[in-house]
Amino acid sequence: MGADAPLRRGLGLRDSVVIGLGAMVGAGVFAALGPAAGVAGSWLLVALGLAAVLAYCNAMSSARLAALYPVSGGTYVYGRERLGEFWGYLAGWGFVVGKTASCAAMALTVGSYAWPAYAHAVAVVAVLLVTGINYVGVQKSALATRVIVGLVLLVLAAVVVVGIGGDHAEATVLDKEIGPYGVLQAAGLLFFAFAGYARIATLGEEVRDPERTIPRAIMLALAGALTVYALVAVAALLTLGSGGLAAAHDPLARVVTAAGAPWLAPVVRAGAVLAAVGSLMALILGVSRTTLAMARDGHLPRALAAVHPRYAVPHRAELAVGAVVAVLAASVDLRTAIGFSSFAVLGYYLVANLSAATLTAEEGRPARWVPVVGALGCVVVAFALPLASVLAGLAVLACGAAVYHLRGFTGV
């Protein structure tokens, strides 16, 4: 198929919800709670609530826009149509770069849990396997994600039951003064784990009845993820306390061990690997579809817009994204990838909220406060992230803007 060939609409509501859950109930729930507790302490649940409010606003804005523009690309398309080509390009640039870093973080989580001594090598293998699954069709990816999400939810249910009902003698309080900045920074770290609902919007061209399916799938996936995160956070705080949770590199495995069920720790580690693989699968799907949309418009090499004649997927974009992620997974640090990704993706959602603010009542706009709170929240939380992440994110976004304007000036 050529560059303008449409993708196949094969995803229903259930598969769309599962893809969103696979991106959210992934490595974040196994990895983000510890670092977030380290800066928020006993205010962790407040930070989780702030991240959820921000995610809700972003999800509502994205859902309304996705129903109006049910094609691949997500906020890249919304920004282009509502604010102008530059803003769409900048959103797409931020998404592709930020989520590529997220893919590397998920792959490194697989390596860290599966074989810590060879984490980078295992991460590269995971990227290659997931890219291969995505290459043969999004329906097969949805089926694999459904199996992974089901198993991970069973593992998390065991953590919640054991953590809430087990021994709490090892719980300690974080010996650190916590202020508003720490809570906001924790919200930014936890938002990294929530942001997966965008996968549903970026797959808009492959969803059946997108005007109804996409908004419903986004809200159902977000509600499910929030419920899971809240229950796990409560279990972890009861068992380890904010101090023990902040000190743990593998917090959920520590929860079941401290609660009196050490035999469950290997199961939890296996669940973490499955969760990270599911999240990686959904992330690569989303990044490749935004790459497809930008290639169609000439902002990336047009060769990346090709759709496979048999599998009906953007196979060149899939392979290109997989190759870049594999290189990053072999070379970058996990926490660096998470911080940088959070800043870039919050910039992406800033454009989504600004785009939603332009919708009319006839176009199905959300409540007026939703995009306002979403946009302000994106800015505040993004600049509350660690300084290195902020500076790196600003530099990459500025680089993308410079390339855009240089191309326009030279006519390339």
Side-chain angles (χ1 to χ4, degrees), residues 91-400:
W93 174 264
F95 182 87
V96 169
V97 173
K99 286 303 183 180
T100 299
S102 294
C103 291
M106 296 303 98
L108 286 167
T109 301
V110 174
S112 297
Y113 274 89
W115 199 352
Y118 298 94
H120 287 282
V122 174
V124 172
V125 172
V127 172
L128 297 178
L129 288 175
V130 167
T131 301
I133 293 173
N134 286 346
Y135 187 94
V136 297
V138 69
Q139 286 79 19
K140 295 180 179 62
S141 299
L143 175 61
T145 303
R146 188 185 308 154
V147 173
I148 290 171
V149 169
L151 292 173
V152 170
L153 288 176
L154 287 175
V155 171
L156 293 177
V159 171
V160 170
V161 171
V162 170
I164 292 177
D167 187 358
H168 301 157
E170 295 188 20
T172 60
V173 177
L174 184 67
D175 185 16
K176 176 181 177 181
E177 185 176 348
I178 304 299
Y181 176 77
V183 176
L184 287 173
Q185 189 172 129
L189 294 170
L190 292 169
F191 178 78
F192 168 82
F194 272 118
Y197 53 78
R199 296 306 78 68
I200 302 169
T202 54
L203 292 171
E205 198 170 324
E206 294 157 275
V207 175
R208 296 193 299 268
D209 191 13
E211 291 79 6
R212 293 184 68 250
T213 299
I214 292 175
R216 292 172 63 198
I218 286 177
M219 298 315 300
L220 287 172
L222 181 60
L226 175 59
T227 301
V228 171
Y229 271 58
L231 290 172
V232 172
V234 169
L237 285 173
L238 285 174
T239 306
L240 300 178
S242 56
L245 184 56
H249 296 289
D250 49 354
L252 300 194
R254 299 290 181 90
V255 166
V256 296
T257 300
W263 55 270
L264 193 56
V267 178
V268 173
R269 294 182 187 279
V273 171
L274 277 174
V277 168
S279 186
L280 177 63
M281 186 176 297
L283 282 166
I284 290 181
L285 277 174
V287 175
S288 64
R289 270 54 180 183
T290 300
T291 300
L292 165 71
M294 295 183 73
R296 283 172 170 171
D297 292 340
H299 293 306
L300 291 175
R302 291 189 182 275
L304 297 177
V307 176
H308 196 282
R310 176 180 178 185
Y311 300 122
V313 298
H315 58 296
R316 292 178 183 171
E318 291 269 13
L319 293 176
V321 170
V324 173
V325 173
V327 171
L328 289 175
S331 56
V332 302
D333 172 76
L334 176 60
R335 294 200 175 203
T336 300
I338 289 176
F340 170 77
S341 172
S342 294
F343 187 89
V345 173
L346 284 164
Y348 170 88
Y349 283 113
L350 172 61
V351 175
N353 282 294
L354 293 176
S355 299
T358 69
L359 293 174
T360 64
E362 292 74 20
E363 292 172 317
R365 71 185 179 205
R368 290 194 179 276
W369 65 268
V370 169
V372 174
V373 173
L376 291 175
C378 286
V379 173
V380 172
V381 171
F383 282 93
L385 287 166
L387 181 60
S389 299
V390 173
L391 294 177
L394 287 174
V396 170
L397 291 178
C399 180

